[in-house]
Amino acid sequence: MTRHSVAVAARKGGVGKTTVACGLASILADRGDRVLVVDLDPQSNAAYVLGSDPTASGTADLLSGNSPTPLQVSSNLFVLPGGPDLTGHNIQSLDPEDLADAIAQLDYDIFIFDCPPGVEYLERLGLVAADTALVCTDAHPLAVMGAGRVLNELKLRAQKKRRGAKSWSLVLTRIDLRRAMDQTLDRQLAEAYPTIERFIVHQDSALAWASAERIPLMQYDPKCKGAADLQAVADWVTHG
Amino acid sequence: MVRRRKDSGALLAEATKVADAIHQQDRAAEAKMEQEVRAQRTLMPIDTIQPRAFDSRPLREKHVAELAESIAALGLIEPLVIDRNGVLLAGGHRLAAIQALKEIHTAIYQQLFPGDRIPVRVMDFDAEAEPERSLQVELAENEKRQNYTRDQIEQLADRLRSLNYKDTRGRPKEGEKALGPALAVAIGVSTRYVRKVLSEKAGSEQLSENRNSDPIFREIKLLKKVELALLDLSKVENSKDRTTNEQALMKAIPGFLKKIQSCLREKAKTIDL
């Protein structure tokens, strides 16, 4: 089986990165892959929404050259928590390729990097360690701006033939088609980025509740609209 | 009044355009960071570092020797500062100390600076073309010495302690070295400042714990001073025109001196017990 590594990024906060990352992880684990979620967020939300201990040693420890044991969420799903140690000086001064090197030894089928909002050096670690990137945006100009910055960075790295994600797509999150801006978003992004694939994840309270109740999506409600939307993203990640 | 909304497509398109503009800034900021990081610390072969055209301060031999000892124990804590041509901007004493170390303790030198390479910070300008700026760098370098955090000072102190440096006051016993002065030399601050930081860290009860704060020692010290002063006074040659008061005082001195000396003997016994 080929290994996949996926970075979920947005630059903007609150658009649904962690929801997409953990929902996708649950789906892929449910399909039989061994999945590791690597949380790059100092706020350490990924382990929390998956029902694990967000304060356990995790990504920062891995990046410091140690071998933390990922927390097991379900039979195939594991998570390395983020946390405030990610803001330390030793992490800031890492080479962008250090995460890519650190995960090379780990035995998983799929790695999902939940990138933080704002903190570019952490986001970059994820983008460089991934072979695929999912750039999330909701239907607001501020989120579109954040996604645009990430896309530009991905494009630049690829042009320079640097290590990192080779393909990427846009994930339109929290879409409620009763709203004018949400109706326009897909068309607008198609115009601005005609060659980039787009996926829509609809506004779905089941996604929010799964996170709040700290239950992986496929155990919480495998048939909800949000899960169906993310299935399409999972197909693209594994089959292109 | 209901405000008429703009076309949402136009709003989103505007955001995309701004994302491109910010991307240019992202790249500029990144390039600047890279340059700053590169400027921070590199290793330079020791013989490529050139002396300043004229030295603004003469080297103090004693300070060079102290620094050499400190570098042998702790390594070079602050890199030397050079301009883009390798001309020394700050760290004349440190460079001299490293050269002294090379001659005296070659093994330690080779261990600290393998391949004769010295940590330097390169400032991207030409000292010859901008003498004023180079003076500024030198002054800033000598001023910023107090920028060590208390934790950093404590860490350095721990390393010195493990090398048998002791932080008691007064002259160290044989085989021991004084921690305060060594640390002060290493980071270029006063011994007093180092002691202040370390005692604050250890808790204030240790702050005044030296012999002088013990009342008996203090009394003995003062009595000895008075004894010496009285002995000196009694040796002053007799002049004929003394006032009555002076004569009375001179007469009283031998008896007073005796009392002081017997007091001192008593005190000496209490200490021995």
Side-chain angles (χ1 to χ4, degrees):
Chain A
M1 178 171 287
T2 42
R3 269 162 70 109
H4 296 284
S5 51
V6 188
V8 182
R11 195 69 57 97
K12 185 85 181 70
V15 298
K17 287 179 299 298
T18 300
T19 305
V20 168
C22 293
L24 188 65
S26 177
I27 289 169
L28 291 165
D30 199 54
R31 292 182 182 182
D33 289 317
R34 265 170 69 82
V35 181
L36 176 65
V37 176
V38 179
D39 190 2
L40 285 163
D41 191 344
Q43 297 178 66
S44 198
N45 288 347
Y48 183 89
V49 306
L50 291 171
S52 294
D53 176 11
T55 65
S57 99
T59 312
D61 209 20
L62 177 75
L63 287 167
S64 307
N66 303 317
S67 317
T69 313
L71 306 174
Q72 184 156 21
V73 174
S74 60
S75 60
N76 272 336
L77 184 53
F78 300 81
V79 59
L80 274 176
D85 286 349
L86 287 168
T87 59
H89 185 74
N90 61 324
I91 306 284
Q92 284 191 43
S93 53
L94 287 177
D95 188 274
E97 296 187 8
D98 280 352
L99 179 60
D101 292 337
I103 60 152
Q105 331 294 340
L106 303 180
D107 181 30
Y108 293 90
D109 302 318
I110 295 175
F111 295 88
I112 294 180
F113 307 111
D114 187 13
C115 296
V119 200
E120 285 160 55
Y121 67 89
L122 290 172
E123 182 189 81
R124 186 168 303 130
L125 287 168
L127 296 179
V128 173
D131 45 43
T132 305
L134 299 173
V135 183
C136 302
T137 176
D138 62 15
H140 195 281
L142 297 181
V144 170
M145 204 190 295
R149 286 169 82 177
V150 179
L151 290 172
N152 280 327
E153 179 162 345
L154 285 165
K155 202 165 103 188
L156 184 74
R157 283 196 74 87
Q159 277 170 357
K160 288 184 177 173
K161 302 212 185 312
R162 298 246 191 99
R163 192 167 170 184
K166 295 284 170 287
S167 64
W168 47 88
S169 64
L170 279 159
V171 179
L172 286 57
T173 53
R174 307 169 17 144
I175 298 302
D176 181 345
L177 290 172
R178 291 169 299 181
R179 297 188 291 227
M181 204 103 76
D182 295 50
Q183 290 163 17
T184 329
L185 181 67
D186 188 51
R187 198 180 65 229
Q188 169 53 38
L189 291 176
E191 245 172 67
Y193 308 105
T195 59
I196 300 176
E197 188 121 12
R198 298 175 311 284
F199 295 95
I200 291 181
V201 177
H202 292 88
Q203 176 77 46
D204 180 358
S205 58
L207 292 176
W209 276 102
S211 296
E213 294 194 24
R214 308 181 64 187
I215 299 168
L217 186 62
M218 293 307 276
Q219 275 136 270
Y220 184 83
D221 186 356
K223 293 199 161 63
C224 69
K225 179 108 183 95
D229 290 340
L230 284 171
Q231 292 280 4
V233 181
D235 290 342
W236 182 78
V237 164
T238 49
H239 298 105
Chain B
M1 190 186 89
V2 179
R3 199 181 162 87
R4 205 186 139 75
R5 283 189 181 152
K6 282 193 185 170
D7 166 43
S8 47
L11 294 176
L12 294 170
E14 207 176 307
T16 318
K17 233 166 47 193
V18 174
D20 290 341
I22 295 185
H23 178 64
Q24 300 304 318
Q25 291 184 331
D26 283 342
R27 290 179 59 186
E30 200 180 322
K32 200 175 156 214
M33 264 284 274
E34 253 171 47
Q35 206 189 7
E36 277 171 8
V37 168
R38 217 181 311 128
Q40 264 173 12
R41 246 180 202 239
T42 37
L43 293 170
M44 280 281 280
I46 189 165
D47 18 299
T48 57
I49 300 170
Q50 301 157 41
R52 278 175 282 219
F54 51 93
D55 240 299
S56 41
R57 294 184 303 167
L59 292 181
R60 286 175 287 129
E61 290 302 325
K62 184 165 174 273
H63 188 49
V64 171
E66 286 170 343
L67 265 175
E69 196 183 329
S70 150
I71 291 169
L74 292 172
L76 184 67
I77 294 170
E78 282 289 334
L80 308 177
V81 185
I82 59 174
D83 81 346
R84 71 159 80 102
N85 301 318
V87 175
L88 191 68
L89 296 172
H93 279 100
R94 278 167 284 166
L95 182 59
I98 292 169
Q99 281 159 344
L101 191 67
K102 185 179 180 180
E103 276 169 34
I104 303 162
H105 299 295
T106 314
I108 298 177
Y109 166 83
Q110 281 166 348
Q111 198 189 345
L112 286 170
F113 310 107
D116 285 295
R117 289 150 75 85
I118 311 295
V120 295
R121 219 167 64 227
V122 184
M123 306 286 281
D124 194 16
F125 71 96
D126 180 358
E128 212 175 314
E130 295 178 72
E132 246 176 61
R133 192 165 165 198
S134 84
L135 184 63
Q136 271 172 11
V137 170
E138 189 194 341
L139 293 179
E141 181 73 10
N142 291 329
E143 249 169 39
K144 70 157 204 195
R145 297 272 172 88
Q146 300 223 351
N147 284 349
Y148 291 87
T149 65
R150 278 154 207 274
D151 281 345
Q152 285 171 324
I153 292 179
E154 185 60 34
Q155 272 171 15
L156 289 171
D158 279 342
R159 269 163 69 190
L160 284 174
R161 284 187 197 112
S162 71
L163 294 167
N164 205 24
Y165 282 75
K166 296 280 188 273
D167 43 356
T168 44
R169 278 186 198 223
R171 200 170 300 164
K173 292 182 201 136
E174 234 182 276
E176 292 179 356
K177 291 177 208 166
L179 182 136
L183 189 48
V185 166
I187 59 178
V189 296
S190 70
T191 309
R192 205 184 148 76
Y193 177 74
V194 168
R195 286 210 172 110
K196 189 170 146 250
V197 170
L198 292 181
S199 61
E200 272 170 22
K201 195 88 187 178
S204 47
E205 77 265 27
Q206 283 189 344
L207 190 64
S208 53
E209 228 179 71
N210 61 35
R211 284 161 72 96
N212 277 344
S213 60
D214 187 315
I216 293 180
F217 279 106
R218 188 159 170 75
E219 211 179 325
I220 290 175
K221 205 173 171 186
L222 291 173
L223 284 173
K224 277 186 179 161
K225 262 191 193 168
V226 176
E227 184 194 10
L228 282 176
L230 287 178
L231 284 171
D232 282 350
L233 189 60
S234 55
K235 278 180 207 149
V236 174
E237 268 182 54
N238 276 341
S239 52
K240 281 159 198 164
D241 42 317
R242 273 202 169 129
T243 64
T244 23
N245 273 338
E246 277 174 333
Q247 282 171 11
L249 182 66
M250 291 311 282
K251 227 177 173 180
I253 284 177
F256 191 54
L257 201 55
K258 252 186 191 167
K259 277 181 188 158
I260 286 177
Q261 284 163 340
S262 59
C263 262
L264 275 170
R265 276 195 295 276
E266 271 175 30
K267 297 276 177 207
K269 275 183 198 163
T270 36
I271 295 166
D272 281 339
L273 290 175

